[in-house]
Amino acid sequence: MRILVVQNSQTAPIGIVGEALVDNGASLVTIAANEGEAIPDRDGFAGLVVLGGPQDAWDDSHGPHFPEVMETIRAFADADRPVMGICLGAQLTARAYGARVYRHDAAELGVCPVTLHDHAAEDPVLGGFGPSLNLVQWHYDTFEFPDGAVPLAHSAVCGRQAFRLGRATYAFQFHPEATAGIVRGWASRFGEEAREKNRSVLDGLDHALDAHLPAAEDFARAITRRWLALA
């Protein structure tokens, strides 16, 4: 199966999710949409992954490709082909269906506790996990749930961590794809953006990655395998 991957930044590759997709028989076609590469039609693709990035999902001036990405999300969902939106991709999925995306009052950076909703117990992708997980986060923005969304996860800081629309459109605010190298790359660039001001939020990051990333990687590989099965 061919999976279309929309990349929004070179700093946010598909990581563990990509490895899991390939391990389970998928081939990936990655489009650097933020660099002007055209997003192909859904024909010939079994599913869509929209990755993260440093942009704000509500600001098309810094993401002029966002309308095309949202159109692509809707096209795959309309064809009942699985969609996985990660962080920025999750926010764009919410926005694609009319929900508000905005700056949150607190950032989540590093490894943070996430709790699965009761709705997740019967979900084909998230069922059987949790209820508490320690997962990578790296976001300043959040979203409202679009109409018809099934809430799947929340955290103490951010009440909307994951949702499903329809049969197979998933949005994850957390980062299942993130390897230790990806996260340390984000940390190394902390302070390059105006919104990044308090480096103390990264205290203990290396310890948290060592302690929690192995289990988070197992979780990521399992949910990716289940997501691919929906295709």
Side-chain angles (χ1 to χ4, degrees):
M1 288 184 287
R2 296 170 77 228
I3 302 297
L4 178 61
V5 180
V6 174
Q7 185 170 280
N8 292 294
S9 171
Q10 294 286 347
T11 66
I14 196 168
I16 294 166
V17 168
E19 292 177 8
L21 288 170
V22 172
D23 288 346
N24 285 278
S27 61
L28 309 183
V29 176
T30 301
I31 302 299
N34 64 304
E35 297 176 12
E37 292 186 8
I39 300 174
D41 185 85
R42 71 190 182 196
D43 291 345
F45 294 100
L48 170 69
V49 179
V50 181
L51 296 171
Q55 306 95 327
D56 297 314
W58 38 266
D59 185 1
D60 290 355
S61 67
H62 289 93
H65 61 292
F66 288 168
E68 185 180 8
V69 175
M70 291 186 288
E71 181 179 343
T72 302
I73 291 169
R74 290 189 294 265
F76 273 78
D78 289 348
D80 197 32
R81 299 178 192 176
V83 174
M84 183 191 300
I86 296 174
C87 197
L88 174 64
Q91 295 161 8
L92 289 171
T93 301
R95 186 182 162 200
Y97 287 94
R100 186 170 74 101
V101 183
Y102 56 96
R103 179 78 78 239
H104 197 29
D105 56 10
E108 283 187 301
L109 306 176
V111 180
C112 307
V114 173
T115 301
L116 298 184
H117 275 292
D118 292 343
H119 301 292
E122 303 301 323
D123 183 79
V125 170
L126 294 179
F129 292 104
S132 296
L133 303 161
N134 290 289
L135 303 174
V136 172
Q137 304 269 9
W138 208 277
H139 70 103
Y140 295 84
D141 298 339
T142 188
F143 50 79
E144 302 293 344
F145 287 129
D147 291 344
V150 178
L152 295 174
H154 61 93
S155 72
V157 174
C158 182
R160 292 165 294 280
Q161 286 287 342
F163 67 84
R164 187 187 75 245
L165 276 172
R167 182 184 72 91
T169 295
Y170 284 84
F172 301 137
Q173 181 61 75
F174 51 83
H175 281 278
E177 86 291 5
T179 64
I182 290 172
V183 177
R184 290 186 173 110
W186 296 339
S188 73
R189 290 182 290 274
F190 187 89
E192 292 180 359
E193 300 178 51
R195 62 188 181 179
E196 296 176 331
K197 297 178 179 178
N198 181 9
R199 191 172 181 83
S200 66
V201 298
L202 300 182
D203 291 349
L205 177 62
D206 286 338
H207 173 75
L209 291 173
D210 291 342
H212 298 299
L213 209 57
E217 179 174 338
D218 289 344
F219 168 75
R221 291 183 183 278
I223 66 170
T224 301
R225 182 176 63 251
R226 292 180 177 187
W227 177 87
L228 185 61
L230 297 175

